[in-house]
Amino acid sequence: MATGESLRSLAFSFRISQGYISRVIHLVVKSLSLRLTPLLIAPPTKHNLIHIAEEFWTKWNFPNCTGAIDGKHIRIFCPGKSGSLFFNYKDFFSVVLLAIVDANCKFIFVDIGAYGKEGDSGIFTKSSLYKQIQTGEYFPRDAKLSNCEKSLPYVHVVDEAFRLETHMMRPYTRGEAKKNYKKTIFNYRLSRARRTSENAFGLLSQVFRIFYTPIALKCETIDHLVLSACCLHNLLRNRYIESTNNYYYEFDKNEAPPTKNMIPIARSGGFANYEGFLVRDEFTTFFCSTQGSVPWQDHETQKID
């Protein structure tokens, strides 16, 4: 997992046959995933979600955010007799790792093993977490924003691949953002929070180099391997955050945050519902108010224009 070497290379290095190495890998990653998942990627409670939202507000200036959702294609060799099921729009074979990431770039929920041809939104709507959200049992009660009397629901921040819903905030389209400066500010603030998912995938691939090469294992073993990597990633993040007393800046009330935190705003499309529009507009209003604005957001959004 750490080196990304092929089974043939490992066979020459350790003088063990490829067949035996594949059996060892399967047993080890399966044991790791089964034992580490309850400890390191346990289902979050409502109290945990409130704590995650506080960290998103402190570190990334987005209130009532309980996680950033995104998907990553794990490159694999085409499984036998699978046709085009694993062939994705990037022109290679893959399985999808769909994850929800907290403010510290740690995984709080993962869905592994979907076909590469499937989209992130479709995978999420078929997940067990989405069904729990639909029943109203997942999110805490609506909470008031900082220094504001308005109560808004807890949300996930997503990119344009997902649909807009009451608990799913996606950016405005580029055309809308160009016509309305407040919407540009909303896209900027959402992008700051959403990039934690991109950072988590980058850190995962940097530590476990196997994700830089096609994985030549059975699909079941790949699922256990990816889950094990996510668990070990959280373990390393916990250790690193403890040793540095925080990986990111924890801003003092009188200290201005850094100004070099902008990411490109991508084109938007897809479906949405009426309640999602209302919630997104409320967040937009809050970000442009005296209670929710930050002094450097105007400077950064002007650079985009």
Side-chain angles (χ1 to χ4, degrees), residues 68-74 96-101 105-107 109-110 120 194-208 211-212 226 230 233:
I69 306 178
D70 204 359
K72 174 180 175 60
H73 287 276
I74 307 297
V96 180
L97 163 61
L98 185 74
I100 302 179
V101 180
C105 299
K106 296 192 301 181
F107 299 109
F109 172 82
V110 292
D120 293 345
R194 190 180 62 81
R195 71 177 182 174
T196 56
S197 60
E198 304 288 351
N199 293 344
F201 291 143
L203 292 169
L204 183 72
S205 300
Q206 191 66 26
V207 174
F208 302 104
F211 294 120
Y212 284 139
V226 175
C230 292
H233 167 85

PDB file of all heavy atoms in Angstrom, residues 68-74 96-101 105-107 109-110 120 194-208 211-212 226 230 233:
ATOM      1  N   ALA A  68     -17.772  17.637   3.991  1.00  0.00           N
ATOM      2  CA  ALA A  68     -17.669  17.859   2.549  1.00  0.00           C
ATOM      3  C   ALA A  68     -17.700  16.507   1.844  1.00  0.00           C
ATOM      4  O   ALA A  68     -16.977  15.581   2.224  1.00  0.00           O
ATOM      5  CB  ALA A  68     -16.370  18.596   2.210  1.00  0.00           C
ATOM      6  N   ILE A  69     -18.549  16.387   0.826  1.00  0.00           N
ATOM      7  CA  ILE A  69     -18.722  15.114   0.117  1.00  0.00           C
ATOM      8  C   ILE A  69     -18.059  15.192  -1.258  1.00  0.00           C
ATOM      9  O   ILE A  69     -18.219  16.184  -1.977  1.00  0.00           O
ATOM     10  CB  ILE A  69     -20.217  14.779  -0.061  1.00  0.00           C
ATOM     11  CG1 ILE A  69     -20.950  14.802   1.277  1.00  0.00           C
ATOM     12  CG2 ILE A  69     -20.385  13.417  -0.715  1.00  0.00           C
ATOM     13  CD1 ILE A  69     -22.437  14.523   1.169  1.00  0.00           C
ATOM     14  N   ASP A  70     -17.346  14.147  -1.596  1.00  0.00           N
ATOM     15  CA  ASP A  70     -16.747  14.059  -2.931  1.00  0.00           C
ATOM     16  C   ASP A  70     -16.412  12.603  -3.224  1.00  0.00           C
ATOM     17  O   ASP A  70     -16.403  11.761  -2.318  1.00  0.00           O
ATOM     18  CB  ASP A  70     -15.496  14.925  -3.020  1.00  0.00           C
ATOM     19  CG  ASP A  70     -15.179  15.325  -4.464  1.00  0.00           C
ATOM     20  OD1 ASP A  70     -15.934  14.903  -5.374  1.00  0.00           O
ATOM     21  OD2 ASP A  70     -14.195  16.042  -4.691  1.00  0.00           O
ATOM     22  N   GLY A  71     -16.134  12.310  -4.485  1.00  0.00           N
ATOM     23  CA  GLY A  71     -15.793  10.959  -4.905  1.00  0.00           C
ATOM     24  C   GLY A  71     -14.426  10.903  -5.553  1.00  0.00           C
ATOM     25  O   GLY A  71     -13.966  11.887  -6.142  1.00  0.00           O
ATOM     26  N   LYS A  72     -13.768   9.764  -5.431  1.00  0.00           N
ATOM     27  CA  LYS A  72     -12.458   9.548  -6.048  1.00  0.00           C
ATOM     28  C   LYS A  72     -12.486   8.232  -6.791  1.00  0.00           C
ATOM     29  O   LYS A  72     -12.936   7.210  -6.252  1.00  0.00           O
ATOM     30  CB  LYS A  72     -11.351   9.523  -4.987  1.00  0.00           C
ATOM     31  CG  LYS A  72      -9.965   9.166  -5.541  1.00  0.00           C
ATOM     32  CD  LYS A  72      -8.925   9.166  -4.440  1.00  0.00           C
ATOM     33  CE  LYS A  72      -7.566   8.679  -4.969  1.00  0.00           C
ATOM     34  NZ  LYS A  72      -7.051   9.523  -6.063  1.00  0.00           N
ATOM     35  N   HIS A  73     -11.992   8.232  -8.020  1.00  0.00           N
ATOM     36  CA  HIS A  73     -11.901   7.006  -8.809  1.00  0.00           C
ATOM     37  C   HIS A  73     -10.593   6.286  -8.483  1.00  0.00           C
ATOM     38  O   HIS A  73      -9.509   6.839  -8.647  1.00  0.00           O
ATOM     39  CB  HIS A  73     -11.954   7.324 -10.312  1.00  0.00           C
ATOM     40  CG  HIS A  73     -13.320   7.718 -10.791  1.00  0.00           C
ATOM     41  ND1 HIS A  73     -14.288   6.802 -11.142  1.00  0.00           N
ATOM     42  CD2 HIS A  73     -13.880   8.941 -10.965  1.00  0.00           C
ATOM     43  CE1 HIS A  73     -15.377   7.426 -11.520  1.00  0.00           C
ATOM     44  NE2 HIS A  73     -15.165   8.728 -11.417  1.00  0.00           N
ATOM     45  N   ILE A  74     -10.716   5.053  -8.002  1.00  0.00           N
ATOM     46  CA  ILE A  74      -9.552   4.215  -7.702  1.00  0.00           C
ATOM     47  C   ILE A  74      -9.254   3.376  -8.934  1.00  0.00           C
ATOM     48  O   ILE A  74     -10.046   2.520  -9.335  1.00  0.00           O
ATOM     49  CB  ILE A  74      -9.821   3.302  -6.492  1.00  0.00           C
ATOM     50  CG1 ILE A  74     -10.317   4.122  -5.295  1.00  0.00           C
ATOM     51  CG2 ILE A  74      -8.579   2.515  -6.142  1.00  0.00           C
ATOM     52  CD1 ILE A  74      -9.343   5.129  -4.772  1.00  0.00           C
ATOM     53  N   VAL A  96     -15.263   3.397  -7.237  1.00  0.00           N
ATOM     54  CA  VAL A  96     -15.425   4.745  -6.699  1.00  0.00           C
ATOM     55  C   VAL A  96     -15.360   4.714  -5.177  1.00  0.00           C
ATOM     56  O   VAL A  96     -16.016   3.896  -4.527  1.00  0.00           O
ATOM     57  CB  VAL A  96     -16.761   5.368  -7.147  1.00  0.00           C
ATOM     58  CG1 VAL A  96     -16.925   6.776  -6.567  1.00  0.00           C
ATOM     59  CG2 VAL A  96     -16.827   5.417  -8.675  1.00  0.00           C
ATOM     60  N   LEU A  97     -14.549   5.614  -4.639  1.00  0.00           N
ATOM     61  CA  LEU A  97     -14.527   5.882  -3.198  1.00  0.00           C
ATOM     62  C   LEU A  97     -15.279   7.179  -2.970  1.00  0.00           C
ATOM     63  O   LEU A  97     -14.812   8.260  -3.336  1.00  0.00           O
ATOM     64  CB  LEU A  97     -13.079   6.001  -2.703  1.00  0.00           C
ATOM     65  CG  LEU A  97     -12.880   6.676  -1.338  1.00  0.00           C
ATOM     66  CD1 LEU A  97     -13.586   5.901  -0.235  1.00  0.00           C
ATOM     67  CD2 LEU A  97     -11.389   6.833  -1.029  1.00  0.00           C
ATOM     68  N   LEU A  98     -16.482   7.084  -2.404  1.00  0.00           N
ATOM     69  CA  LEU A  98     -17.271   8.254  -2.052  1.00  0.00           C
ATOM     70  C   LEU A  98     -17.109   8.509  -0.557  1.00  0.00           C
ATOM     71  O   LEU A  98     -17.296   7.591   0.251  1.00  0.00           O
ATOM     72  CB  LEU A  98     -18.745   8.051  -2.381  1.00  0.00           C
ATOM     73  CG  LEU A  98     -19.653   9.264  -2.157  1.00  0.00           C
ATOM     74  CD1 LEU A  98     -19.429  10.300  -3.243  1.00  0.00           C
ATOM     75  CD2 LEU A  98     -21.113   8.855  -2.114  1.00  0.00           C
ATOM     76  N   ALA A  99     -16.740   9.733  -0.192  1.00  0.00           N
ATOM     77  CA  ALA A  99     -16.395  10.003   1.207  1.00  0.00           C
ATOM     78  C   ALA A  99     -16.977  11.324   1.674  1.00  0.00           C
ATOM     79  O   ALA A  99     -17.172  12.258   0.890  1.00  0.00           O
ATOM     80  CB  ALA A  99     -14.875  10.018   1.375  1.00  0.00           C
ATOM     81  N   ILE A 100     -17.257  11.374   2.976  1.00  0.00           N
ATOM     82  CA  ILE A 100     -17.578  12.622   3.659  1.00  0.00           C
ATOM     83  C   ILE A 100     -16.401  12.932   4.575  1.00  0.00           C
ATOM     84  O   ILE A 100     -15.959  12.073   5.345  1.00  0.00           O
ATOM     85  CB  ILE A 100     -18.876  12.509   4.485  1.00  0.00           C
ATOM     86  CG1 ILE A 100     -20.042  12.110   3.579  1.00  0.00           C
ATOM     87  CG2 ILE A 100     -19.187  13.827   5.186  1.00  0.00           C
ATOM     88  CD1 ILE A 100     -21.358  11.952   4.309  1.00  0.00           C
ATOM     89  N   VAL A 101     -15.894  14.151   4.489  1.00  0.00           N
ATOM     90  CA  VAL A 101     -14.664  14.540   5.167  1.00  0.00           C
ATOM     91  C   VAL A 101     -14.962  15.676   6.130  1.00  0.00           C
ATOM     92  O   VAL A 101     -15.756  16.578   5.815  1.00  0.00           O
ATOM     93  CB  VAL A 101     -13.598  14.971   4.133  1.00  0.00           C
ATOM     94  CG1 VAL A 101     -12.314  15.391   4.817  1.00  0.00           C
ATOM     95  CG2 VAL A 101     -13.324  13.832   3.156  1.00  0.00           C
ATOM     96  N   CYS A 105      -9.735  17.061   7.478  1.00  0.00           N
ATOM     97  CA  CYS A 105      -9.416  16.157   6.367  1.00  0.00           C
ATOM     98  C   CYS A 105      -9.454  14.692   6.788  1.00  0.00           C
ATOM     99  O   CYS A 105      -8.717  13.859   6.236  1.00  0.00           O
ATOM    100  CB  CYS A 105      -8.055  16.481   5.749  1.00  0.00           C
ATOM    101  SG  CYS A 105      -7.948  18.139   5.059  1.00  0.00           S
ATOM    102  N   LYS A 106     -10.295  14.355   7.741  1.00  0.00           N
ATOM    103  CA  LYS A 106     -10.482  12.960   8.152  1.00  0.00           C
ATOM    104  C   LYS A 106     -11.804  12.437   7.604  1.00  0.00           C
ATOM    105  O   LYS A 106     -12.777  13.181   7.492  1.00  0.00           O
ATOM    106  CB  LYS A 106     -10.476  12.835   9.673  1.00  0.00           C
ATOM    107  CG  LYS A 106      -9.164  13.222  10.326  1.00  0.00           C
ATOM    108  CD  LYS A 106      -9.108  12.811  11.794  1.00  0.00           C
ATOM    109  CE  LYS A 106     -10.223  13.435  12.588  1.00  0.00           C
ATOM    110  NZ  LYS A 106     -10.173  13.062  14.009  1.00  0.00           N
ATOM    111  N   PHE A 107     -11.826  11.159   7.285  1.00  0.00           N
ATOM    112  CA  PHE A 107     -13.035  10.537   6.742  1.00  0.00           C
ATOM    113  C   PHE A 107     -14.003  10.220   7.876  1.00  0.00           C
ATOM    114  O   PHE A 107     -13.625   9.582   8.866  1.00  0.00           O
ATOM    115  CB  PHE A 107     -12.681   9.261   5.985  1.00  0.00           C
ATOM    116  CG  PHE A 107     -11.777   9.472   4.806  1.00  0.00           C
ATOM    117  CD1 PHE A 107     -10.459   9.045   4.832  1.00  0.00           C
ATOM    118  CD2 PHE A 107     -12.246  10.110   3.672  1.00  0.00           C
ATOM    119  CE1 PHE A 107      -9.624   9.240   3.746  1.00  0.00           C
ATOM    120  CE2 PHE A 107     -11.426  10.308   2.573  1.00  0.00           C
ATOM    121  CZ  PHE A 107     -10.108   9.878   2.612  1.00  0.00           C
ATOM    122  N   PHE A 109     -17.296   9.169   6.810  1.00  0.00           N
ATOM    123  CA  PHE A 109     -18.158   8.177   6.157  1.00  0.00           C
ATOM    124  C   PHE A 109     -17.547   7.853   4.808  1.00  0.00           C
ATOM    125  O   PHE A 109     -17.086   8.751   4.088  1.00  0.00           O
ATOM    126  CB  PHE A 109     -19.580   8.720   5.960  1.00  0.00           C
ATOM    127  CG  PHE A 109     -20.460   7.823   5.125  1.00  0.00           C
ATOM    128  CD1 PHE A 109     -21.094   6.722   5.694  1.00  0.00           C
ATOM    129  CD2 PHE A 109     -20.639   8.064   3.767  1.00  0.00           C
ATOM    130  CE1 PHE A 109     -21.900   5.887   4.925  1.00  0.00           C
ATOM    131  CE2 PHE A 109     -21.434   7.241   2.992  1.00  0.00           C
ATOM    132  CZ  PHE A 109     -22.065   6.144   3.577  1.00  0.00           C
ATOM    133  N   VAL A 110     -17.520   6.560   4.439  1.00  0.00           N
ATOM    134  CA  VAL A 110     -17.002   6.156   3.132  1.00  0.00           C
ATOM    135  C   VAL A 110     -17.936   5.115   2.534  1.00  0.00           C
ATOM    136  O   VAL A 110     -18.536   4.307   3.240  1.00  0.00           O
ATOM    137  CB  VAL A 110     -15.570   5.575   3.231  1.00  0.00           C
ATOM    138  CG1 VAL A 110     -14.567   6.646   3.609  1.00  0.00           C
ATOM    139  CG2 VAL A 110     -15.497   4.419   4.226  1.00  0.00           C
ATOM    140  N   ASP A 120     -21.219  10.390  -8.803  1.00  0.00           N
ATOM    141  CA  ASP A 120     -21.153  10.577  -7.355  1.00  0.00           C
ATOM    142  C   ASP A 120     -22.538  10.741  -6.740  1.00  0.00           C
ATOM    143  O   ASP A 120     -22.830  10.176  -5.681  1.00  0.00           O
ATOM    144  CB  ASP A 120     -20.300  11.807  -7.029  1.00  0.00           C
ATOM    145  CG  ASP A 120     -18.836  11.606  -7.402  1.00  0.00           C
ATOM    146  OD1 ASP A 120     -18.436  10.449  -7.637  1.00  0.00           O
ATOM    147  OD2 ASP A 120     -18.100  12.609  -7.463  1.00  0.00           O
ATOM    148  N   ARG A 194     -15.351  23.091   0.944  1.00  0.00           N
ATOM    149  CA  ARG A 194     -15.411  21.853   0.161  1.00  0.00           C
ATOM    150  C   ARG A 194     -14.036  21.299  -0.185  1.00  0.00           C
ATOM    151  O   ARG A 194     -13.875  20.094  -0.411  1.00  0.00           O
ATOM    152  CB  ARG A 194     -16.207  22.104  -1.123  1.00  0.00           C
ATOM    153  CG  ARG A 194     -16.537  20.842  -1.907  1.00  0.00           C
ATOM    154  CD  ARG A 194     -17.313  21.182  -3.166  1.00  0.00           C
ATOM    155  NE  ARG A 194     -16.545  22.016  -4.059  1.00  0.00           N
ATOM    156  CZ  ARG A 194     -15.607  21.559  -4.896  1.00  0.00           C
ATOM    157  NH1 ARG A 194     -15.313  20.271  -4.910  1.00  0.00           N
ATOM    158  NH2 ARG A 194     -14.963  22.386  -5.683  1.00  0.00           N
ATOM    159  N   ARG A 195     -13.034  22.137  -0.193  1.00  0.00           N
ATOM    160  CA  ARG A 195     -11.726  21.646  -0.615  1.00  0.00           C
ATOM    161  C   ARG A 195     -11.092  20.708   0.411  1.00  0.00           C
ATOM    162  O   ARG A 195     -10.070  20.074   0.131  1.00  0.00           O
ATOM    163  CB  ARG A 195     -10.795  22.818  -0.887  1.00  0.00           C
ATOM    164  CG  ARG A 195     -10.330  23.570   0.346  1.00  0.00           C
ATOM    165  CD  ARG A 195      -9.355  24.655  -0.037  1.00  0.00           C
ATOM    166  NE  ARG A 195      -8.863  25.346   1.144  1.00  0.00           N
ATOM    167  CZ  ARG A 195      -7.907  26.270   1.101  1.00  0.00           C
ATOM    168  NH1 ARG A 195      -7.374  26.614  -0.050  1.00  0.00           N
ATOM    169  NH2 ARG A 195      -7.495  26.853   2.200  1.00  0.00           N
ATOM    170  N   THR A 196     -11.668  20.595   1.609  1.00  0.00           N
ATOM    171  CA  THR A 196     -11.146  19.623   2.565  1.00  0.00           C
ATOM    172  C   THR A 196     -11.230  18.200   2.023  1.00  0.00           C
ATOM    173  O   THR A 196     -10.367  17.369   2.311  1.00  0.00           O
ATOM    174  CB  THR A 196     -11.917  19.708   3.900  1.00  0.00           C
ATOM    175  OG1 THR A 196     -13.317  19.535   3.655  1.00  0.00           O
ATOM    176  CG2 THR A 196     -11.688  21.049   4.573  1.00  0.00           C
ATOM    177  N   SER A 197     -12.260  17.912   1.226  1.00  0.00           N
ATOM    178  CA  SER A 197     -12.373  16.579   0.629  1.00  0.00           C
ATOM    179  C   SER A 197     -11.276  16.350  -0.405  1.00  0.00           C
ATOM    180  O   SER A 197     -10.692  15.257  -0.471  1.00  0.00           O
ATOM    181  CB  SER A 197     -13.752  16.394  -0.010  1.00  0.00           C
ATOM    182  OG  SER A 197     -13.988  17.358  -1.021  1.00  0.00           O
ATOM    183  N   GLU A 198     -10.970  17.369  -1.199  1.00  0.00           N
ATOM    184  CA  GLU A 198      -9.887  17.247  -2.178  1.00  0.00           C
ATOM    185  C   GLU A 198      -8.551  17.055  -1.462  1.00  0.00           C
ATOM    186  O   GLU A 198      -7.706  16.257  -1.890  1.00  0.00           O
ATOM    187  CB  GLU A 198      -9.841  18.500  -3.057  1.00  0.00           C
ATOM    188  CG  GLU A 198     -11.137  18.835  -3.775  1.00  0.00           C
ATOM    189  CD  GLU A 198     -11.447  17.883  -4.906  1.00  0.00           C
ATOM    190  OE1 GLU A 198     -10.567  17.061  -5.250  1.00  0.00           O
ATOM    191  OE2 GLU A 198     -12.563  17.954  -5.445  1.00  0.00           O
ATOM    192  N   ASN A 199      -8.350  17.796  -0.372  1.00  0.00           N
ATOM    193  CA  ASN A 199      -7.108  17.661   0.383  1.00  0.00           C
ATOM    194  C   ASN A 199      -6.976  16.263   0.983  1.00  0.00           C
ATOM    195  O   ASN A 199      -5.877  15.697   1.028  1.00  0.00           O
ATOM    196  CB  ASN A 199      -7.064  18.702   1.500  1.00  0.00           C
ATOM    197  CG  ASN A 199      -6.953  20.120   0.971  1.00  0.00           C
ATOM    198  OD1 ASN A 199      -6.625  20.331  -0.187  1.00  0.00           O
ATOM    199  ND2 ASN A 199      -7.237  21.087   1.813  1.00  0.00           N
ATOM    200  N   ALA A 200      -8.096  15.709   1.463  1.00  0.00           N
ATOM    201  CA  ALA A 200      -8.052  14.372   2.063  1.00  0.00           C
ATOM    202  C   ALA A 200      -7.641  13.325   1.034  1.00  0.00           C
ATOM    203  O   ALA A 200      -6.814  12.449   1.326  1.00  0.00           O
ATOM    204  CB  ALA A 200      -9.416  14.030   2.663  1.00  0.00           C
ATOM    205  N   PHE A 201      -8.202  13.403  -0.174  1.00  0.00           N
ATOM    206  CA  PHE A 201      -7.826  12.444  -1.221  1.00  0.00           C
ATOM    207  C   PHE A 201      -6.363  12.617  -1.621  1.00  0.00           C
ATOM    208  O   PHE A 201      -5.659  11.645  -1.903  1.00  0.00           O
ATOM    209  CB  PHE A 201      -8.726  12.622  -2.443  1.00  0.00           C
ATOM    210  CG  PHE A 201     -10.145  12.209  -2.212  1.00  0.00           C
ATOM    211  CD1 PHE A 201     -11.199  12.917  -2.781  1.00  0.00           C
ATOM    212  CD2 PHE A 201     -10.452  11.109  -1.428  1.00  0.00           C
ATOM    213  CE1 PHE A 201     -12.517  12.540  -2.563  1.00  0.00           C
ATOM    214  CE2 PHE A 201     -11.758  10.724  -1.204  1.00  0.00           C
ATOM    215  CZ  PHE A 201     -12.791  11.449  -1.778  1.00  0.00           C
ATOM    216  N   GLY A 202      -5.902  13.865  -1.653  1.00  0.00           N
ATOM    217  CA  GLY A 202      -4.497  14.109  -1.981  1.00  0.00           C
ATOM    218  C   GLY A 202      -3.552  13.525  -0.938  1.00  0.00           C
ATOM    219  O   GLY A 202      -2.541  12.907  -1.283  1.00  0.00           O
ATOM    220  N   LEU A 203      -3.886  13.722   0.339  1.00  0.00           N
ATOM    221  CA  LEU A 203      -3.063  13.154   1.413  1.00  0.00           C
ATOM    222  C   LEU A 203      -3.097  11.633   1.381  1.00  0.00           C
ATOM    223  O   LEU A 203      -2.076  10.977   1.608  1.00  0.00           O
ATOM    224  CB  LEU A 203      -3.571  13.669   2.764  1.00  0.00           C
ATOM    225  CG  LEU A 203      -3.369  15.159   3.050  1.00  0.00           C
ATOM    226  CD1 LEU A 203      -4.154  15.568   4.279  1.00  0.00           C
ATOM    227  CD2 LEU A 203      -1.891  15.473   3.236  1.00  0.00           C
ATOM    228  N   LEU A 204      -4.272  11.069   1.105  1.00  0.00           N
ATOM    229  CA  LEU A 204      -4.399   9.611   1.037  1.00  0.00           C
ATOM    230  C   LEU A 204      -3.492   9.031  -0.044  1.00  0.00           C
ATOM    231  O   LEU A 204      -2.784   8.045   0.175  1.00  0.00           O
ATOM    232  CB  LEU A 204      -5.850   9.234   0.770  1.00  0.00           C
ATOM    233  CG  LEU A 204      -6.193   7.745   0.730  1.00  0.00           C
ATOM    234  CD1 LEU A 204      -6.137   7.146   2.136  1.00  0.00           C
ATOM    235  CD2 LEU A 204      -7.584   7.531   0.126  1.00  0.00           C
ATOM    236  N   SER A 205      -3.497   9.644  -1.220  1.00  0.00           N
ATOM    237  CA  SER A 205      -2.680   9.146  -2.333  1.00  0.00           C
ATOM    238  C   SER A 205      -1.193   9.382  -2.096  1.00  0.00           C
ATOM    239  O   SER A 205      -0.356   8.589  -2.533  1.00  0.00           O
ATOM    240  CB  SER A 205      -3.109   9.825  -3.641  1.00  0.00           C
ATOM    241  OG  SER A 205      -4.455   9.555  -3.931  1.00  0.00           O
ATOM    242  N   GLN A 206      -0.865  10.462  -1.404  1.00  0.00           N
ATOM    243  CA  GLN A 206       0.541  10.771  -1.175  1.00  0.00           C
ATOM    244  C   GLN A 206       1.179   9.776  -0.213  1.00  0.00           C
ATOM    245  O   GLN A 206       2.345   9.409  -0.364  1.00  0.00           O
ATOM    246  CB  GLN A 206       0.674  12.192  -0.610  1.00  0.00           C
ATOM    247  CG  GLN A 206       2.091  12.724  -0.579  1.00  0.00           C
ATOM    248  CD  GLN A 206       2.670  12.922  -1.970  1.00  0.00           C
ATOM    249  OE1 GLN A 206       1.931  13.120  -2.930  1.00  0.00           O
ATOM    250  NE2 GLN A 206       3.988  12.875  -2.079  1.00  0.00           N
ATOM    251  N   VAL A 207       0.420   9.323   0.779  1.00  0.00           N
ATOM    252  CA  VAL A 207       0.954   8.368   1.750  1.00  0.00           C
ATOM    253  C   VAL A 207       0.902   6.949   1.195  1.00  0.00           C
ATOM    254  O   VAL A 207       1.879   6.190   1.305  1.00  0.00           O
ATOM    255  CB  VAL A 207       0.171   8.450   3.070  1.00  0.00           C
ATOM    256  CG1 VAL A 207       0.626   7.360   4.037  1.00  0.00           C
ATOM    257  CG2 VAL A 207       0.346   9.815   3.705  1.00  0.00           C
ATOM    258  N   PHE A 208      -0.211   6.581   0.586  1.00  0.00           N
ATOM    259  CA  PHE A 208      -0.388   5.227   0.040  1.00  0.00           C
ATOM    260  C   PHE A 208      -0.247   5.304  -1.483  1.00  0.00           C
ATOM    261  O   PHE A 208      -1.210   5.555  -2.203  1.00  0.00           O
ATOM    262  CB  PHE A 208      -1.745   4.657   0.455  1.00  0.00           C
ATOM    263  CG  PHE A 208      -1.937   4.605   1.940  1.00  0.00           C
ATOM    264  CD1 PHE A 208      -2.745   5.527   2.579  1.00  0.00           C
ATOM    265  CD2 PHE A 208      -1.299   3.647   2.704  1.00  0.00           C
ATOM    266  CE1 PHE A 208      -2.919   5.491   3.953  1.00  0.00           C
ATOM    267  CE2 PHE A 208      -1.466   3.605   4.079  1.00  0.00           C
ATOM    268  CZ  PHE A 208      -2.271   4.536   4.703  1.00  0.00           C
ATOM    269  N   PHE A 211      -2.336   4.089  -4.887  1.00  0.00           N
ATOM    270  CA  PHE A 211      -3.431   4.762  -5.585  1.00  0.00           C
ATOM    271  C   PHE A 211      -2.945   5.524  -6.817  1.00  0.00           C
ATOM    272  O   PHE A 211      -3.755   6.098  -7.546  1.00  0.00           O
ATOM    273  CB  PHE A 211      -4.159   5.710  -4.628  1.00  0.00           C
ATOM    274  CG  PHE A 211      -4.864   5.001  -3.513  1.00  0.00           C
ATOM    275  CD1 PHE A 211      -4.539   5.254  -2.195  1.00  0.00           C
ATOM    276  CD2 PHE A 211      -5.844   4.057  -3.774  1.00  0.00           C
ATOM    277  CE1 PHE A 211      -5.180   4.593  -1.159  1.00  0.00           C
ATOM    278  CE2 PHE A 211      -6.493   3.384  -2.754  1.00  0.00           C
ATOM    279  CZ  PHE A 211      -6.160   3.654  -1.442  1.00  0.00           C
ATOM    280  N   TYR A 212      -1.649   5.570  -7.036  1.00  0.00           N
ATOM    281  CA  TYR A 212      -1.110   6.200  -8.238  1.00  0.00           C
ATOM    282  C   TYR A 212      -0.974   5.213  -9.392  1.00  0.00           C
ATOM    283  O   TYR A 212      -0.617   5.604 -10.503  1.00  0.00           O
ATOM    284  CB  TYR A 212       0.260   6.832  -7.955  1.00  0.00           C
ATOM    285  CG  TYR A 212       0.188   8.132  -7.191  1.00  0.00           C
ATOM    286  CD1 TYR A 212       1.092   8.422  -6.181  1.00  0.00           C
ATOM    287  CD2 TYR A 212      -0.777   9.089  -7.495  1.00  0.00           C
ATOM    288  CE1 TYR A 212       1.037   9.625  -5.486  1.00  0.00           C
ATOM    289  CE2 TYR A 212      -0.841  10.287  -6.806  1.00  0.00           C
ATOM    290  CZ  TYR A 212       0.069  10.546  -5.803  1.00  0.00           C
ATOM    291  OH  TYR A 212       0.008  11.743  -5.122  1.00  0.00           O
ATOM    292  N   VAL A 226      -8.912  -0.352   0.188  1.00  0.00           N
ATOM    293  CA  VAL A 226      -9.252   1.068   0.228  1.00  0.00           C
ATOM    294  C   VAL A 226      -9.793   1.455   1.604  1.00  0.00           C
ATOM    295  O   VAL A 226      -9.441   2.510   2.150  1.00  0.00           O
ATOM    296  CB  VAL A 226     -10.280   1.402  -0.871  1.00  0.00           C
ATOM    297  CG1 VAL A 226     -10.724   2.859  -0.761  1.00  0.00           C
ATOM    298  CG2 VAL A 226      -9.692   1.144  -2.256  1.00  0.00           C
ATOM    299  N   CYS A 230      -8.207   4.167   4.284  1.00  0.00           N
ATOM    300  CA  CYS A 230      -8.964   5.278   4.878  1.00  0.00           C
ATOM    301  C   CYS A 230      -8.848   5.266   6.400  1.00  0.00           C
ATOM    302  O   CYS A 230      -8.703   6.323   7.033  1.00  0.00           O
ATOM    303  CB  CYS A 230     -10.428   5.199   4.461  1.00  0.00           C
ATOM    304  SG  CYS A 230     -10.731   5.497   2.700  1.00  0.00           S
ATOM    305  N   HIS A 233      -5.374   6.358   7.294  1.00  0.00           N
ATOM    306  CA  HIS A 233      -5.291   7.800   7.056  1.00  0.00           C
ATOM    307  C   HIS A 233      -5.822   8.568   8.267  1.00  0.00           C
ATOM    308  O   HIS A 233      -5.191   9.527   8.730  1.00  0.00           O
ATOM    309  CB  HIS A 233      -6.092   8.156   5.801  1.00  0.00           C
ATOM    310  CG  HIS A 233      -6.332   9.621   5.639  1.00  0.00           C
ATOM    311  ND1 HIS A 233      -5.423  10.473   5.038  1.00  0.00           N
ATOM    312  CD2 HIS A 233      -7.393  10.402   6.010  1.00  0.00           C
ATOM    313  CE1 HIS A 233      -5.901  11.705   5.046  1.00  0.00           C
ATOM    314  NE2 HIS A 233      -7.089  11.689   5.622  1.00  0.00           N
TER     315      HIS A 233
END
